[in-house]
Amino acid sequence: MVEKTKTLQSKSTIRIGQGKGDNLLHLFNDLVPRDSLHPNYMAFKAPDREEFQNVILDWAEGFIDRDGNDKFCREFQTTFNSSFWELYLFAVIKSLGWEVDFSKAAPDFRIPSKNLNIEAVVSNAAANDIQEWNKTFEGVTNADFLASQAATIERLSNSISSKLKKYNESYQNYKEVKDSAFIIAVGSYGTQDFFHLGDVAAQRLIYDDAREGKITKRNGSELTLGLFSMPEYTNVSAIIFSSTATFGKVRAISGSTKPAFFQATRIKNLIEPINASAPAGEYRESLSDGLRVFHNKNASRPIPPDLFGTDTDIMQFCFEGDDQYVLGSPNGDLANRQVIVLRT
């Protein structure tokens, strides 16, 4: 794969909305009382952050709110993560040159030219856990990675299974869906330190290559690993995953020179860590950096690896028969990234 280092040009003015006609998205026009605005949304609304807002508006170009009445914008402002994840996925889809058909209510992204449907979902922390937007120093520097991974597996499993249930009960009955490949795209935000964890939890949940079989959930029940070994998952062609679709992604591709320092780890050949550290303006990261595609070798409608092209930073876990192989960047694939904002 070829590493992309193109960044968006910084803009000095803020564009009010995106879309056409009645589908104009007023993403950053507050539509609800201030005390209802989500902390992550408010982070984008802080003074002098117009260039970061403009990245989101670039992502939203052409996106249609099928529910109307500013429902998507209200969700973006009040619950944030799921809407942010959808806009990020839409930007990636556009970068691949795919066109989305928004004429149907669901799934989230219908791509007729590829005979493909993608349904988006996020995994947030459990209701009684500290949410990532309220993260603490202790929560972020937690050294118990196994516990964090277990919690991530649990949250990912809940989110993915909810979309499989939706497919089985609803989507597969749509004529536009039943004979098409179906992908679940999950954004991981399930622990305070989610952005440190990479994709190990997702690999364990989806493939169980280490033959763990099960893990014990925090409530004492057992959770079976190896989703793609289960017969009920044959309708899922692949799972798209990322734990790097964050404000940090926006900063990284914005071209901003506002004082900040990036620390990232890329993984080469699955085992070789490559550390990257640079100040804003020098750090380079592409839009698709950090994305993973986990192919299902048992899928009833599998997708070919070249579906995603070759000039991307999307890492893919593929199969030839029962043999697994990985398509990755020769420069290493983004595993984690954090941004230290420097105060002046």
Side-chain angles (χ1 to χ4, degrees), residues 274-316:
I274 302 172
N275 295 320
S277 300
E282 297 180 19
Y283 177 78
R284 295 293 181 264
E285 182 179 313
S286 75
L287 176 69
S288 56
D289 257 329
L291 274 176
R292 303 290 188 263
V293 176
F294 299 103
H295 290 252
N296 185 357
K297 70 177 181 179
N298 298 314
S300 55
R301 288 171 293 279
I303 55 174
D306 62 5
L307 176 70
F308 296 92
T310 56
D311 188 24
T312 72
D313 291 308
I314 300 174
M315 185 180 184
Q316 299 189 68

Side-chain angles (χ1 to χ4, degrees), residues 20-27 29-32 64-78:
K20 298 179 180 179
D22 293 339
N23 294 313
L24 186 68
L25 293 183
H26 302 284
L27 290 173
N29 285 357
D30 296 355
L31 300 173
V32 299
I64 295 176
D65 181 0
R66 287 170 285 189
D67 294 309
N69 299 316
D70 285 322
K71 181 176 182 292
F72 184 88
C73 295
R74 293 176 188 276
E75 291 177 349
F76 177 74
Q77 295 176 13
T78 58

Side-chain angles (χ1 to χ4, degrees), residues 135-156:
K135 54 183 167 284
T136 64
F137 178 80
E138 292 77 12
V140 170
T141 57
N142 173 28
D144 193 347
F145 281 98
L146 289 179
S148 289
Q149 283 188 20
T152 299
I153 289 172
E154 186 175 337
R155 302 310 298 163
L156 289 174

Side-chain angles (χ1 to χ4, degrees), residues 115-117 167 172 174-181 301:
N115 199 31
L116 173 66
N117 292 276
Y167 178 90
Q172 69 173 341
Y174 302 168
K175 65 179 182 180
E176 300 86 4
V177 176
K178 63 180 180 180
D179 295 321
S180 302
R301 288 171 293 279

Side-chain angles (χ1 to χ4, degrees), residues 11-241:
K11 305 175 181 68
S12 59
T13 58
I14 180 76
R15 298 193 304 279
I16 297 301
Q18 291 293 327
K20 298 179 180 179
D22 293 339
N23 294 313
L24 186 68
L25 293 183
H26 302 284
L27 290 173
F28 293 103
N29 285 357
D30 296 355
L31 300 173
V32 299
R34 186 176 180 83
D35 60 2
S36 297
L37 295 172
H38 194 280
N40 287 345
Y41 172 77
M42 291 300 295
F44 278 96
K45 292 281 287 187
D48 299 322
R49 290 190 169 179
E50 290 87 355
E51 59 191 317
F52 303 136
Q53 295 178 33
N54 279 326
V55 172
I56 304 298
L57 294 174
D58 281 337
W59 291 359
E61 180 71 48
F63 187 92
I64 295 176
D65 181 0
R66 287 170 285 189
D67 294 309
N69 299 316
D70 285 322
K71 181 176 182 292
F72 184 88
C73 295
R74 293 176 188 276
E75 291 177 349
F76 177 74
Q77 295 176 13
T78 58
T79 58
F80 191 80
N81 280 349
S82 60
S83 302
F84 179 87
W85 175 238
E86 279 194 50
L87 292 175
Y88 171 69
L89 287 173
F90 183 59
V92 172
I93 288 169
K94 290 188 296 182
S95 75
L96 293 169
W98 300 352
E99 185 173 345
V100 176
D101 178 1
F102 285 107
S103 65
K104 306 299 180 183
D108 293 314
F109 301 108
R110 180 172 175 257
I111 306 163
S113 65
K114 302 298 179 183
N115 199 31
L116 173 66
N117 292 276
I118 301 175
E119 179 72 358
V121 67
V122 295
S123 68
N124 290 320
N128 58 345
D129 286 345
I130 296 175
Q131 303 298 312
E132 51 85 14
W133 52 85
N134 290 323
K135 54 183 167 284
T136 64
F137 178 80
E138 292 77 12
V140 170
T141 57
N142 173 28
D144 193 347
F145 281 98
L146 289 179
S148 289
Q149 283 188 20
T152 299
I153 289 172
E154 186 175 337
R155 302 310 298 163
L156 289 174
S157 177
N158 290 344
S159 298
I160 292 168
S161 63
S162 72
K163 291 304 179 180
L164 176 64
K165 181 179 179 181
K166 188 71 173 178
Y167 178 90
N168 289 336
E169 295 180 352
S170 178
Y171 297 161
Q172 69 173 341
N173 298 317
Y174 302 168
K175 65 179 182 180
E176 300 86 4
V177 176
K178 63 180 180 180
D179 295 321
S180 302
F182 180 68
I183 293 176
I184 297 173
V186 56
S188 181
Y189 308 97
T191 63
Q192 294 182 64
D193 58 348
F194 74 94
F195 54 93
H196 285 312
L197 299 180
D199 62 13
V200 175
Q203 289 188 53
R204 291 170 64 191
L205 173 64
I206 294 167
Y207 293 135
D208 189 26
D209 287 334
R211 304 293 190 270
E212 296 175 77
K214 296 179 180 181
I215 64 168
T216 301
K217 297 165 64 174
R218 287 177 291 180
N219 64 7
S221 64
E222 291 188 326
L223 188 158
T224 302
L225 304 178
L227 299 184
F228 283 171
S229 297
M230 303 176 187
E232 57 264 39
Y233 276 87
T234 56
N235 284 326
V236 180
S237 305
I239 290 174
I240 292 175
F241 169 87

